[in-house]
Amino acid sequence: DAGVIQSPRHEVTEMGQEVTLRCKPISGHNSLFWYRQTMMRGLELLIYFNNNVPIDDSGMPEDRFSAKMPNASFSTLKIQPSEPRDSAVYFCASSLDFATYEQYFGPGTRLTVT
Amino acid sequence: GENVEQHPSTLSVQEGDSAVIKCTYSDSASNYFPWYKQELGKGPQLIIDIRSNVGEKKDQRIAVTLNKTAKHFSLHITETQPEDSAVYFCAASNWDTGRRALTFGSGTRLQVQP
C-alpha cells in the first residue's frame, strides 16, 4: 500500500516566485496535515484538514501561505510570493480520521528559495 | 500553548547497549505522546505512542514510559543496532481540545556504533 506521496521532492526557486507543493494522502485517510521543518524551529504544524475542510490554520505563518484540499486524495500548499526564510522541508501527513491518533508522514519536499 | 523539551540532543551508544531519550511537556492537559524516528532524507515515522491512561508501553526492543505527575515521558531502546541510528522526536498533544496539532521536541540524534 502506497504511503503519503509528495511532489516535488526538491524545489529551488527565486525569491518572489510562486511555489506549489503537492500531497496525496494515504487512500482512505480523511485527515491531512501540513508541517514545516527547519533547524531553527523544528517541526511545526501549519494547517490540517478533516474531510477536505480546513480545521486549524493557526500555524500558517502569514498570508503568503495558503492551502487547499479540493478532494480527498489531493492537497496543495502554496507560497506566493516566496522568500528566502521559507526555505525548509515541508511534510504532509495523513490520518485515518479525526478520531485516530496516528499520523503518517510523507517523504517531504525540500524547498530552497534563493 | 504546549512546549516540549527533549534531551539529549545527541546520543552515541555502542551496539547492544540501551539508549534513553527524555522529554518534558508543559501542558498538563496533554494526553497523547507519540515518538517518531526520522532517517536521513525521509519523513518522520511513527514508532510507538502512549496515551495518558497508560504508564508504560512496550513493543519489542522499544518502550515508552509516561509520568503524568512530573509531566515527562521517555523512550527506551534496548539491544541497540546500527539501523537504530536516526533522529528521534517526541511529541505531545491534547486530544480533548479537538485540535490535532502535535507539538514536537527538538529531536535527538542517536548514533549506534558497531
Side-chain angles (χ1 to χ4, degrees):
Chain A
D1 186 19
V4 175
I5 298 172
Q6 292 187 246
S7 64
R9 294 294 312 276
H10 302 273
E11 177 79 40
V12 180
T13 190
E14 292 184 348
M15 182 174 62
Q17 296 297 305
E18 177 180 296
V19 176
T20 300
L21 311 181
R22 298 173 175 79
C23 175
K24 177 179 170 55
I26 293 173
S27 178
H29 281 198
N30 295 319
S31 294
L32 183 140
F33 307 78
W34 282 101
Y35 288 87
R36 179 171 67 176
Q37 186 176 39
T38 62
M39 288 296 294
M40 290 297 294
R41 299 176 66 89
L43 263 166
E44 51 183 349
L45 178 70
L46 301 177
I47 185 171
Y48 70 90
F49 296 82
N50 189 57
N51 291 328
N52 312 337
V53 176
I55 303 299
D56 185 348
D57 64 355
S58 59
M60 295 287 263
E62 47 197 280
D63 292 345
R64 297 184 298 105
F65 286 70
S66 63
K68 294 182 179 180
M69 192 163 186
N71 57 62
S73 59
F74 184 66
S75 177
T76 60
L77 178 68
K78 184 178 294 186
I79 309 173
Q80 166 64 19
S82 58
E83 297 182 3
R85 59 194 170 113
D86 301 331
S87 298
V89 181
Y90 291 81
F91 290 103
C92 176
S94 72
S95 178
L96 182 61
D97 54 40
F98 204 59
T100 301
Y101 291 82
E102 296 84 357
Q103 296 180 23
Y104 298 91
F105 282 71
T109 295
R110 180 174 295 277
L111 173 65
T112 303
V113 183
T114 61
Chain B
E2 176 66 277
N3 182 52
V4 177
E5 300 280 343
Q6 184 171 347
H7 300 280
S9 57
T10 60
L11 179 59
S12 182
V13 300
Q14 290 294 124
E15 182 176 359
D17 288 350
S18 295
V20 180
I21 302 170
K22 299 181 179 181
C23 289
T24 60
Y25 60 98
S26 60
D27 186 354
S28 57
S30 287
N31 52 15
Y32 174 60
F33 308 92
W35 286 88
Y36 284 84
K37 174 184 181 182
Q38 186 175 24
E39 297 175 323
L40 193 63
K42 298 184 178 180
Q45 176 191 5
L46 178 67
I47 57 172
I48 195 168
D49 57 12
I50 193 167
R51 300 169 199 180
S52 61
N53 58 343
V54 176
E56 184 174 358
K57 183 177 178 180
K58 191 174 182 180
D59 183 4
Q60 299 181 352
R61 296 186 297 108
I62 294 174
V64 56
T65 58
L66 171 64
N67 183 328
K68 286 224 71 179
T69 302
K71 291 190 286 187
H72 67 71
F73 56 113
S74 301
L75 177 71
H76 304 253
I77 306 174
T78 60
E79 301 173 22
T80 53
Q81 301 167 2
E83 52 264 38
D84 294 330
S85 297
V87 180
Y88 291 80
F89 292 94
C90 63
S93 176
N94 179 354
W95 212 249
D96 295 337
T97 61
R99 297 191 74 230
R100 294 295 179 264
L102 291 173
T103 300
F104 285 86
S106 54
T108 296
R109 183 174 299 279
L110 173 65
Q111 187 160 8
V112 181
Q113 306 286 352

